[in-house]
Amino acid sequence: MAKVYLIVNMELSGKKLHTAIKKSGYSIRELQDMLDLSCPNPIYKWIHGEALPSTVNLYRLSYFLQIPMENLLAAENLTMNEEY
């Protein structure tokens, strides 16, 4: 029997987030201030697919960018075969 897992593709999610930021007109520095981050590095990691925002930051991004949280992430199905 196969199990299906939903996974988040970090690279595609980063691209979606980068596109949303560009469309919003906010700069990385402005988002850094809005998210109360000490430096912009986390944002660059998110948009380069190296990390995902925390749930709190994802919620904040959703609010500031006016995009539902699930639209900022790229989900994929992963099927694993199980042998009994």
Side-chain angles (χ1 to χ4, degrees):
M1 177 184 228
K3 281 195 172 187
V4 178
Y5 298 92
L6 187 63
I7 60 170
V8 176
N9 182 313
M10 292 192 340
E11 186 178 339
L12 290 178
S13 294
K15 289 178 182 180
K16 288 178 85 169
L17 180 57
H18 195 217
T19 299
I21 291 170
K22 282 183 178 179
K23 286 183 179 180
S24 75
Y26 290 122
S27 70
I28 297 297
R29 174 71 178 150
E30 288 172 318
L31 280 177
Q32 173 191 340
D33 290 340
M34 294 163 76
L35 296 170
D36 197 29
L37 299 172
S38 60
C39 67
N41 291 351
I43 298 171
Y44 287 114
K45 285 184 178 184
W46 302 337
I47 63 177
H48 290 115
E50 297 171 10
L52 292 171
S54 67
T55 305
V56 171
N57 283 330
L58 187 60
Y59 182 81
R60 289 175 178 170
L61 286 166
S62 171
Y63 176 80
F64 294 133
L65 301 176
Q66 295 296 296
I67 296 174
M69 288 177 21
E70 60 271 14
N71 290 351
L72 292 175
L73 299 175
E76 299 177 339
N77 291 328
L78 176 64
T79 304
M80 303 280 293
N81 287 324
E82 285 187 6
E83 295 189 28
Y84 289 96

